[in-house]
Amino acid sequence: MVLVLVMSPKKASIEFVFQYFNIDYSKGIHSKPYIFIIGLLMAQYTLSGYDASAHMTEETKSSDKNGPYGIISAVAISVVVGWAYLLGVTFAVTDISHVLDSNNDAHGYAIAQIFYDAFKTRYDSGTGGIICLGVVAVSLFFCGFCSVTSNSRMAYAFSRDGAMPFSDIWHRVNSWEVPINAVWLSAFIAFMMALTSLGSAVAFQAMVSIATVALYIAYAIPILLRVTLSCKAFKPGPFHLGCFSIFIGWVAVLWVATITVFFSVPVEYPIRIESLNYTPIAVGVVLVLVIGSWLSNARFWFRGPVANVEGHSLA
């Protein structure tokens, strides 16, 4: 992003970057607080996924300390690098209407057009911008790779505890101690979900709309239990927040509750089937299925995580 900013012969002013609030392309929404609220979705999405360190702790040395350090490091790096990236993008934009125009070289894909314009204007060729966009594509590939790795470890842990259909298959590991069947399962599900975008953008949007909110709800549930039911009985590990644990826990729970409401509101008016925010529907369906499965079946046989370390009870 620094390269794109340096290559841009024209740069936006500090006033434009830090003071200008654009509502010309707000999809029928004219309230600045409303736009700001739904704009938080991308920031929350960017900061999600740091739980990957927790899912990999069984393969991490000194995981009781390095796991939390990995989570904190992931958040800190995302904040710093993300802030620098946003500054580079916004300083490189001098004409919003051109960047968002569906008839431009990138067909309205703003980031690609910014990269392309930076090199096109200076060298009369957008090849450098395409290469920079390739770097972004590679980073997205590694992001997907990380997601599959994290998902496979969750599938392995759930199946080890007998909480998944055909658990005996998914918790098997190969000679390198890798849950290879769970890896292929995660990759196959991700591939099939991506295929829906070729046939129905609405169906694909319905699936991905749940991603950020569902992740944060999953993060908040154990925190809520920690600050309520286990407030006094909880035994902290080597890494803990000390006297600030309860306060920070409640802040986290309340924040997740707030963004869950924010991210369930419509993001475009008038509301149509193509632009409907499917988040509350998707979250509701998942909650009904999970709670219904627990009440009707799982609560009669599931006894919690299976300990794989002698002398320790995880249930």
Side-chain angles (χ1 to χ4, degrees):
M1 200 60 244
V2 174
L3 179 62
V4 173
L5 183 59
V6 171
M7 290 296 103
S8 299
K10 296 181 180 180
K11 298 177 179 63
S13 64
I14 294 178
E15 290 76 15
F16 174 82
V17 173
F18 292 101
Q19 296 182 12
Y20 180 69
F21 200 111
N22 177 57
I23 61 173
D24 295 334
Y25 300 89
S26 53
K27 303 293 184 179
I29 302 174
H30 304 290
S31 169
K32 290 183 177 180
Y34 196 116
I35 296 173
F36 173 79
I37 287 172
I38 61 178
L40 290 174
L41 178 60
M42 289 308 299
Q44 292 291 154
Y45 175 77
T46 304
L47 291 175
S48 64
Y50 43 78
D51 57 315
S53 296
H55 303 316
M56 298 297 294
T57 50
E58 293 190 21
E59 302 167 58
T60 304
K61 294 182 179 180
S62 302
S63 59
D64 52 352
K65 294 182 180 180
N66 291 330
Y69 289 151
I71 293 174
I72 293 176
S73 299
V75 174
I77 293 172
S78 295
V79 169
V80 175
V81 176
W83 177 247
Y85 178 83
L86 289 176
L87 287 179
V89 169
T90 49
F91 271 110
V93 176
T94 56
D95 187 349
I96 295 178
S97 60
H98 167 66
V99 170
L100 298 178
D101 187 358
S102 60
N103 295 318
N104 62 23
D105 297 290
H107 300 286
Y109 181 44
I111 297 299
Q113 189 63 42
I114 293 171
F115 289 179
Y116 186 84
D117 286 344
F119 287 86
K120 179 71 173 179
T121 306
R122 182 175 291 273
Y123 299 111
D124 199 30
S125 173
T127 303
I130 297 175
I131 294 174
C132 289
L133 191 63
V135 174
V136 175
V138 171
S139 68
L140 290 174
F141 171 80
F142 283 113
C143 180
F145 189 82
C146 177
S147 297
V148 170
T149 303
S150 178
N151 290 337
S152 66
R153 269 50 181 188
M154 284 190 286
Y156 163 76
F158 293 150
S159 60
R160 181 193 58 198
D161 302 336
M164 286 185 63
F166 309 107
S167 292
D168 291 340
I169 298 176
W170 312 128
H171 81 269
R172 295 175 186 172
V173 296
N174 60 14
S175 56
W176 290 286
E177 299 296 323
V178 174
I180 191 66
N181 292 340
V183 171
W184 281 113
L185 174 66
S186 300
F188 175 76
I189 293 175
F191 179 75
M192 296 304 294
M193 291 179 65
L195 281 182
T196 60
S197 63
L198 300 178
S200 173
V202 176
F204 181 74
Q205 181 62 32
M207 289 188 293
V208 300
S209 63
I210 192 178
T212 301
V213 172
L215 275 174
Y216 278 94
I217 291 176
Y219 298 159
I221 290 175
I223 300 175
L224 177 62
L225 297 177
R226 160 69 179 92
V227 298
T228 53
L229 299 180
S230 300
C231 185
K232 295 182 179 180
F234 183 81
K235 295 180 180 180
F239 183 95
H240 58 88
L241 299 175
C243 60
F244 297 102
S245 295
I246 301 300
F247 173 75
I248 295 177
W250 275 114
V251 170
V253 171
L254 293 176
W255 175 249
V256 171
T258 302
I259 64 173
T260 298
V261 175
F262 287 165
F263 297 160
S264 297
V265 300
V267 296
E268 181 178 339
Y269 288 94
I271 300 174
R272 300 186 302 272
I273 189 67
E274 297 84 4
S275 60
L276 178 66
N277 186 352
Y278 289 92
T279 299
I281 300 174
V283 172
V285 169
V286 171
L287 287 177
V288 169
L289 292 176
V290 171
I291 295 175
S293 175
W294 170 257
L295 294 177
S296 62
N297 185 15
R299 66 190 180 97
F300 297 110
W301 55 266
F302 185 69
R303 293 296 178 266
V306 176
N308 60 354
V309 180
E310 293 182 5
H312 290 75
S313 175
L314 301 179

